[in-house]
Amino acid sequence: MNIDWSLLKTFLTVVQAGTVAQAAAQLACSQPTVSRQLKELETQTGLTLFDRRGYRLVLTDAGASILEFAQNMADQANHLALAIAGKETVVNGTIRISTSEVIAYHFLPPVLVTLQEQYPEIDVEIIVENSAANLSAREADIAIRLFRPDKLGLVRTKIGTLEIGAFASKSYLELYGVPRTLDDLVYHNLLGYDQSAEILDGFRKHLPDANPSLFSVRCDNHLVYWNMIRAGNGIGFCSTLMASQDKMLTRVLPDLKPDGNDVWLATHEALQKTPRVRAVWELLSSQLTKRLWE
């Protein structure tokens, strides 16, 4: 039996994505193409791989039996790609940088100007996400993270720390007044995260009974959150470096210092010494370190 590897790749993507639509988006092809490839794989294997429940696809026992093989083949393909990439000898091509919304919006653009000037033969793709890209699967070549990447096979270095403080717009403080103590905060509109417990956990160090209802507005999108502070929606918590450069914002309760976010660079060890990755790594390290410690 000859099974087309590209069909197994589609099968694996559908399993991971959960729906044909999401898998098609990840594979950059149409939904009919994905559906057709799944049917072709079922024809080649003689197995029914999914139970179709509306838009969702649920693995059958037969589908589960070949999932491990498909994953192993994908892992081997990724290892091969990393090994080939590790043999590169010239500083050109495309490099994919995965980073968070905060770093991408506030810190990365000026650094990319320098990168474009020094290495015009390198094309850059920026992946903006707050979750961790899979460096082993080549979803990104370099990651800039606000947490320490801990997966095996990664090379990482800490390049700085983002200190966090409480800030509000001048318009908000003119309307509601300036809090003088931590207890005053219960009389103010506080901005928090929704699914992330980062801000709430910080509050519980000072107010053990703090719960999500403490925040009048909650949002996990960092750029929306940032603009809510600037617009006067309430008191929010963000990088002191970012906020101190914004004339619309004023720091409140300067003695309230939530835990900061360490900033890390990471890449796969197989890519670290390739000229393209090494050049961008060193530039990001020097430029971002400088900006984070300004």
Side-chain angles (χ1 to χ4, degrees):
M1 179 192 305
N2 293 321
I3 299 177
D4 186 343
W5 156 241
S6 65
L7 301 181
L8 284 172
K9 180 180 179 182
T10 298
F11 164 75
L12 185 60
T13 304
V14 171
V15 173
Q16 294 169 341
T19 67
V20 169
Q22 292 176 333
Q26 293 181 23
L27 294 168
C29 63
S30 67
Q31 294 182 42
T33 296
V34 172
S35 297
R36 185 177 67 253
Q37 290 177 341
L38 290 180
K39 288 184 179 298
E40 177 61 24
L41 181 60
E42 289 182 326
T43 298
Q44 291 186 10
T45 60
L47 301 172
T48 299
L49 303 177
F50 293 99
D51 284 330
R52 290 158 174 83
R53 302 177 184 175
Y55 293 108
R56 293 183 62 249
L57 298 177
V58 179
L59 271 179
T60 62
D61 290 342
S65 70
I66 69 169
L67 178 59
E68 181 178 354
F69 295 100
Q71 184 62 66
N72 288 337
M73 292 180 70
D75 291 342
Q76 291 301 315
N78 291 331
H79 292 325
L80 176 61
L82 286 168
I84 293 172
K87 305 297 183 181
E88 294 176 1
T89 59
V90 293
V91 185
N92 63 14
T94 299
I95 192 157
R96 292 169 61 82
I97 301 172
S98 170
T99 189
S100 67
E101 294 163 347
V102 169
I103 297 296
Y105 184 80
H106 293 279
F107 297 99
L108 195 55
V111 177
L112 293 180
V113 173
T114 304
L115 174 59
Q116 290 170 300
E117 291 173 347
Q118 293 189 14
Y119 302 104
E121 299 303 316
I122 293 179
D123 297 326
V124 181
E125 296 178 356
I126 306 298
I127 309 165
V128 181
E129 56 185 359
N130 293 320
S131 59
N134 189 339
L135 296 172
S136 297
R138 295 300 304 278
E139 293 177 358
D141 300 304
I142 296 176
I144 310 168
R145 285 286 167 250
L146 297 179
F147 54 85
R148 186 182 188 275
D150 57 2
K151 288 188 176 181
L152 294 177
L154 298 185
V155 178
R156 63 190 69 82
T157 184
K158 178 182 169 181
I159 59 175
T161 300
L162 286 179
E163 180 190 57
I164 304 300
F167 289 86
S169 69
K170 290 181 172 60
S171 62
Y172 174 86
L173 296 176
E174 288 173 359
L175 186 61
Y176 291 95
V178 179
R180 301 298 179 186
T181 67
L182 186 63
D183 290 337
D184 290 344
L185 289 180
V186 299
Y187 302 105
H188 283 268
N189 297 327
L190 300 182
L191 307 178
Y193 293 151
D194 184 22
Q195 300 300 314
S196 171
E198 182 178 348
I199 295 177
L200 185 60
D201 288 344
F203 259 95
R204 284 175 173 157
K205 295 180 180 179
H206 305 278
L207 300 171
D209 295 330
N211 59 69
S213 65
L214 181 68
F215 305 109
S216 59
V217 182
R218 296 181 290 273
C219 178
D220 285 332
N221 184 291
H222 291 180
L223 300 188
V224 174
Y225 186 89
W226 168 257
N227 278 304
M228 287 195 303
I229 302 174
R230 299 181 78 249
N233 291 119
I235 297 173
F237 303 85
C238 59
S239 161
T240 57
L241 178 59
M242 290 159 30
S244 63
Q245 298 172 356
D246 193 317
K247 296 180 179 179
M248 295 179 63
L249 300 181
T250 298
R251 187 169 187 176
V252 299
L253 300 177
D255 292 335
L256 177 61
K257 297 181 178 180
D259 293 338
N261 296 119
D262 291 337
V263 183
W264 293 80
L265 278 184
T267 188
H268 195 278
E269 58 187 3
L271 297 178
Q272 185 190 23
K273 295 183 179 180
T274 63
R276 170 175 52 87
V277 173
R278 184 174 64 246
V280 176
W281 173 282
E282 291 176 353
L283 186 144
L284 289 173
S285 179
S286 63
Q287 292 288 314
L288 286 175
T289 299
K290 177 182 177 182
R291 293 181 180 279
L292 290 170
W293 291 104
E294 283 178 344

